[in-house]
Amino acid sequence: SVAEWLYKGVTGISIGEHGAGYRHFQFAPEIGGGINWAETVLTTMYGEIRAFWRRCEDKIDFHLKVPVNTTAQIILPVSQ
């Protein structure tokens, strides 16, 4: 679905290896494709995951809200 593509692909939220119910999840946004910003809120049984990124001239701003009692692995894109 479009919503899944947005939060999983563009904003980069996905279940980690041991992440039933998003208790452990990954934040690995896909930057590119002419998209300059993305934002999502994903409601899980542990609380809201909020992810946002934005291109700003020669840098990218990232913001991630991780619910209490959960963990996130953050994988940021590498400059080429």
Side-chain angles (χ1 to χ4, degrees), residues 25-73:
F25 64 95
Q26 292 181 339
F27 173 63
E30 295 177 11
I31 311 296
I35 298 174
N36 291 317
W37 68 274
E39 180 175 18
T40 193
V41 176
L42 179 62
T43 302
T44 73
M45 60 191 289
Y46 299 102
E48 286 186 347
I49 298 171
R50 291 181 173 265
F52 172 78
W53 64 262
R54 172 184 60 206
R55 290 180 203 247
C56 297
E57 298 177 17
D58 61 343
K59 67 178 183 171
I60 301 173
D61 289 330
F62 297 96
H63 300 270
L64 179 65
K65 178 185 173 193
V66 179
V68 174
N69 295 321
T70 67
T71 58
Q73 178 184 19

Side-chain angles (χ1 to χ4, degrees), residues 9-31:
V10 178
T11 53
I13 302 297
S14 63
I15 295 176
E17 288 180 23
H18 311 287
Y22 288 91
R23 177 140 190 206
H24 307 284
F25 64 95
Q26 292 181 339
F27 173 63
E30 295 177 11
I31 311 296

